[in-house]
Every structure is written in C-alpha cells, then in structure tokens.
Amino acid sequence: MAMKIPFFQHKQLKESFADPEENIPAHIAIIMDGNGRWAGERGMPRAAGHKEGLSALVKIVKAAAECKVKVLTLYAFSTENWKRPTAEIEFILKLPQTFLNIYLPDLIRNNVRVTAIGDVESLPAYTQKALQQAIDRTKHNDGLQLTIALNYGSRGEILHAVKEILADLDAANMSLEELNEQSFSKYLYTAGTTAPDLLIRTGGEKRLSNFLLWQLAYTEFWFTDVLWPDFSEKEFMEAVGEYQQRKRRYGGI
Ligand code: FPP
C-alpha cells in the first residue's frame, strides 16, 4: 500500500522543480475544468466528478503552499454556471462547506488565509456561512492566500467597478483625474492582490470563460488536456517548471 503523506508535507515535490527557490509564480490562478467529462467517461453522475475535483483541489492547495506560492485563486463557480441543472448547482455550492468542514483546521494550522471573490452575497446561506467562517478564522494568517472564485464573472466584476466609480465621482469621493489603471484595480473584487503570474486551465479547452479578464492582461497561460480530477502535483510542477523557463517582457524587448 502506498504510504499516506500527511497534509502539507510533500517534501519531495520541490525536488522535481527546475529551480526550487527561484522564480516561483507568486500568484497562480486555475480554471478547474473537466469534472463532468471525468465522471461521464466512467459512467458516473456529474456530481461524482465534482467530488473527485475536490480531492484534486486539496492536493493542489497543499502543493502550492509547499512551493511558497503566495496566492492561489481557484475558479469554483461562475455567474454562467447557474444555467446548469439545480441539483448540480446545489452539489457544487455545498462543496465549500464539505471542504472547510474537513480541512479548515489544517488550513488554520498551516497559516493559509482564505478569501473569496465574486457576488458572494447572492449565494445560498450555507455557502456564505462556510466561507465567512473560513475567512474570519484565517484572517490573521500570512501564508498562502487561498482565494475561491464563487459566483464570479469578470464582465460583471468590471461593470460593478464602473458603477462604484461613477457613484464615487458623483459623491465627489474621487475626481476623474485620479482614475487610472491602479485606482481602477482597487474597485475590483481582487483589490489588494497582485495579478496572477500563471493561469492554468485543465480539461482541454483554451478559453478564459469570463475569468479575471482585467487581471490576466500579462499573465502566462498554461493549458492541459488533463481533466481536473486527474490533475495532480505532477502536472502542477510541470506548469510551474514551464513558467520558470518563460521570458516575461510586458510589451518590452
Ligand atoms: C468545471 O468542470 C468545474 C466546476 C464548474 C466546478 C469546480 C469546483 C470544484 C472542483 C470544487 C469547488 C470546491 C471548493 C471548495 C472551492 P465541468 O463540470 O464544467 O466539467 P466538464 O467541462 O467536463 O463538463
């Protein structure tokens, strides 16, 4: 039987890096796609894919913390996902509760700070309660920032920011001259967090699906056909390893 490695103790992970100390992406964002197909391929209900997706999520949070990634942003539920059958929506929206019921003590012990982005107030009470408890109980931690995107849509986020800016201009809380890329960013859900350095999308599709459109302007992208439930530390390391080889020029030469 394979030896069970305790949560957050994957020491051997770092050894597979191109360079374990240098050029680790500070912020990694992930579009966790392919849960439904993973289940379908096995003749299982889609919920089984999401359940397995949660296990992959646990592994990747652990790997990111081990690698000293500063921020991990996970796209868990988009504003477009409401088009799915009610039972599937409920299943996904109960996953934060399931995850936090089991792992919140581990997250606290390992100095992880949980935050959320998206229209959280429109989520069911059970999702909000679990999230809020995790946010409150980890708010003083200064290790990995684990940001869960729930009921998140980037166009909605930008529109929400524009409306708040207009209200602030109207109330003379700010002037038009003060509006620039930096001040605009402060109106986004991601205020205070640097833009992702690396975006990973699993499941074979090569699109952004309304995720962090403003924030990903200069992010490095890494795509894989691997379905999210099969995504492991190995693929995570591959993505980080490739990031370490990239030359980021930000429009310069
Ligand atoms: C996309 O796969 C996946 C989702 C919409 C849900 C992702 C959520 C999790 C993995 C867990 C969230 C839990 C916490 C604690 C944040 P899909 O269903 O679109 O797959 P398909 O493209 O194969 O149909």
Side-chain angles (χ1 to χ4, degrees), residues 32-38 46 50 53-54 57 75-76 81 84 88 92 95-96 99 148 228:
M32 310 178 286
D33 195 18
N35 294 348
R37 276 165 288 159
W38 184 93
R46 291 178 60 83
H50 296 311
L54 183 57
L57 180 149
Y75 203 8
N81 287 150
R84 296 186 178 210
E88 183 176 346
I92 297 174
L95 287 176
F99 170 61
I148 304 176
W228 176 251

Side-chain angles (χ1 to χ4, degrees), residues 190-224:
T190 50
T193 301
T194 56
D197 298 289
L198 173 65
L199 170 84
I200 296 173
R201 181 171 187 145
T202 64
E205 311 290 1
K206 293 183 179 66
R207 53 178 171 249
L208 291 183
S209 302
N210 205 9
F211 191 43
L212 301 173
L213 303 180
W214 170 281
Q215 297 86 342
L216 296 175
Y218 274 102
T219 300
E220 296 294 324
F221 289 4
W222 191 86
F223 297 102
T224 177

Side-chain angles (χ1 to χ4, degrees), residues 93-227:
L93 294 181
K94 282 198 174 130
L95 287 176
Q97 195 182 33
T98 310
F99 170 61
L100 294 164
N101 274 347
I102 304 170
Y103 290 108
L104 187 55
D106 276 326
L107 296 173
I108 294 169
R109 221 181 4 259
N110 287 282
N111 202 20
V112 175
R113 187 164 68 93
V114 178
T115 67
I117 54 171
D119 180 10
V120 172
E121 282 164 23
S122 305
L123 288 167
Y126 52 79
T127 316
Q128 287 193 52
K129 199 172 155 217
L131 269 180
Q132 200 52 54
Q133 196 193 11
I135 292 168
D136 290 345
R137 295 191 57 198
T138 63
K139 68 181 175 200
H140 298 302
N141 290 350
D142 60 4
L144 175 72
Q145 176 184 318
L146 171 62
T147 299
I148 304 176
L150 272 166
N151 199 18
Y152 176 87
S154 193
R155 288 179 176 174
E157 175 187 39
I158 292 170
L159 207 54
H160 176 259
V162 169
K163 286 183 181 173
E164 295 222 313
I165 289 167
L166 288 175
D168 274 353
L169 288 172
D170 208 37
N173 289 333
M174 84 181 286
S175 70
L176 203 51
E177 292 68 41
E178 286 171 299
L179 186 58
N180 53 38
E181 290 182 12
Q182 212 182 356
S183 58
F184 186 88
S185 298
K186 292 189 184 142
Y187 286 85
L188 298 171
Y189 294 130
T190 50
T193 301
T194 56
D197 298 289
L198 173 65
L199 170 84
I200 296 173
R201 181 171 187 145
T202 64
E205 311 290 1
K206 293 183 179 66
R207 53 178 171 249
L208 291 183
S209 302
N210 205 9
F211 191 43
L212 301 173
L213 303 180
W214 170 281
Q215 297 86 342
L216 296 175
Y218 274 102
T219 300
E220 296 294 324
F221 289 4
W222 191 86
F223 297 102
T224 177
D225 289 338
V226 172
L227 304 175

